[in-house]
């Protein structure tokens, strides 16, 4: 089963399970949005691996006039996003691999949550380069994602601590098992490596405004 099919199957429960599977859920999403500082109220936004539109939902609360393009491999996930944003006219939906998708416009904000870590390292780097070319001057890139620790010992401790919290969250064991099956598609990269890519591709402001074990928010400003 492909990764797109895995997430097709998860679409109905995806949002319900987030808070259980991400112990730092509130801070993770809140801070990802808090650090976006766009002067006008109508940014052009590209949401990569948008899924059900959860990250876009939080952005819309801050920028209700945003023009948002959501891209995802899973048609079922995008259908959920279309339901969520049915009252908003300024939304576009692209059911495609965002590595291959072509865009005829530039964006003020490019963001992603829990998606880019599925890519192989070379594909991640190419995506970061692509995002650099698609951003307007002073544009903002946000990747709220899973990262590797450079220490194998710490990486194991961090993953074990997250797993303990998930197991004690009250989430049904079968749902946890299904989520773990999806994790077989994970291929996270080192945090420092990704920060260096942003610098290499011309981002002038690069930082990590939040990190909780394996979860990190990567920030870049053109």
């Amino acid at each position: 089963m492909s990764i797109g099919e895995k997430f097709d199957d998860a679409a109905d429960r995806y949002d319900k399970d987030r808070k259980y599977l991400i112990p730092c859920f509130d801070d993770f999403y809140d801070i990802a949005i808090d650090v976006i500082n766009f002067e006008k109220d109508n940014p052009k936004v590209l949401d990569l691996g948008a899924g059900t539109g959860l990250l876009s939902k939080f952005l819309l609360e801050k920028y209700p006039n945003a023009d948002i393009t959501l891209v995802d491999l899973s048609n079922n996930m995008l259908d959920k996003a279309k339901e969520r944003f049915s009252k908003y006219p300024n939304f576009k939906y692209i059911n495609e691999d965002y590595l291959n998708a072509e865009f005829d416009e530039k964006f003020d904000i490019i963001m992603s949550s829990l998606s880019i870590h599925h890519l192989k390292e070379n594909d991640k780097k190419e995506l970061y380069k692509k995002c650099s070319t698609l951003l307007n001057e002073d544009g903002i890139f946000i990747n709220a994602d899973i990262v590797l620790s450079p220490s194998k010992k710490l990486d194991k401790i961090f993953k074990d601590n997250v797993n303990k919290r998930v197991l004690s969250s009250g989430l049904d064991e079968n749902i946890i098992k299904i989520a773990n099956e999806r994790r077989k598609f994970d291929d996270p990269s080192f945090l420092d490596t990704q920060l260096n890519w942003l610098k290499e591709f011309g981002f002038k402001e690069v930082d990590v405004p939040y990190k909780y074990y394996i979860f990190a928010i990567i920030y870049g400003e053109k």
Side-chain angles (χ1 to χ4, degrees):
M1 185 178 286
S2 70
I3 188 170
E5 290 169 333
K6 282 284 186 184
F7 280 94
D8 276 341
D9 288 347
D12 286 339
R13 287 197 56 93
Y14 190 81
D15 286 0
K16 297 176 187 176
D17 299 338
R18 289 299 85 192
K19 284 199 173 187
Y20 299 98
L21 295 171
I22 308 171
C24 58
F25 177 92
D26 290 331
D27 283 342
F28 193 55
Y29 281 91
D30 287 350
I31 293 173
I33 300 302
D34 280 348
V35 296
I36 295 174
N37 185 21
F38 187 71
E39 291 183 359
K40 299 177 183 179
D41 69 347
N42 61 337
K44 292 183 70 66
V45 181
L46 178 62
D47 188 347
L48 300 174
T52 64
L54 191 58
L55 186 60
S56 285
K57 168 186 175 291
F58 292 120
L59 184 83
L60 196 63
E61 292 171 3
K62 185 173 183 177
Y63 297 104
N65 296 317
D67 184 334
I68 304 180
T69 299
L70 294 88
V71 188
D72 201 274
L73 272 175
S74 168
N75 189 56
N76 289 357
M77 297 283 266
L78 279 182
D79 282 345
K80 294 294 181 183
K82 290 174 184 177
E83 291 175 17
R84 168 174 268 151
F85 302 120
S86 61
K87 296 180 181 179
Y88 295 91
N90 297 329
F91 277 73
K92 299 174 187 174
Y93 305 90
I94 300 174
N95 181 206
E96 193 174 344
D97 183 339
Y98 50 68
L99 278 173
N100 302 322
E102 296 185 2
F103 304 93
D104 56 4
E105 57 185 330
K106 288 202 169 188
F107 301 90
D108 302 304
I109 300 164
I110 298 178
M111 61 184 192
S112 182
S113 63
L114 299 171
S115 176
I116 294 174
H117 71 278
H118 294 124
L119 303 180
K120 298 296 182 185
E121 183 124 328
N122 287 340
D123 287 338
K124 287 192 193 79
K125 186 174 182 179
E126 284 303 308
L127 178 66
Y128 276 49
K129 184 178 181 180
K130 183 176 185 176
C131 288
S132 175
T133 64
L134 287 172
L135 275 171
N136 290 318
E137 190 68 23
D138 298 322
I140 294 169
F141 172 78
I142 292 286
N143 181 20
D145 211 354
I146 294 171
V147 298
L148 280 179
S149 169
S151 162
K152 290 184 178 180
K153 177 181 178 180
L154 288 179
D155 198 62
K156 183 178 186 307
I157 290 171
F158 294 168
K159 288 175 180 174
D160 287 347
N161 284 349
V162 169
N163 288 336
K164 286 177 187 175
R165 284 158 175 75
V166 172
L167 288 171
S168 64
S169 68
L171 187 62
D172 183 271
E173 289 184 8
N174 189 52
I175 300 301
I176 295 174
K177 182 179 178 181
I178 293 171
N180 287 336
E181 283 293 313
R182 291 200 302 272
R183 285 178 184 164
K184 292 179 180 178
F185 290 94
D186 290 0
D187 192 8
S189 294
F190 296 124
L191 180 56
D192 285 350
T193 298
Q194 297 179 75
L195 297 176
N196 287 333
W197 290 339
L198 290 178
K199 294 172 185 175
E200 179 182 343
F201 297 134
F203 286 82
K204 60 189 178 185
E205 302 286 352
V206 176
D207 209 340
V208 182
Y210 180 78
K211 187 174 186 296
Y212 177 96
Y213 294 128
I214 62 174
F215 299 96
I217 296 170
I218 298 170
Y219 176 96
E221 182 180 328
K222 280 292 296 289

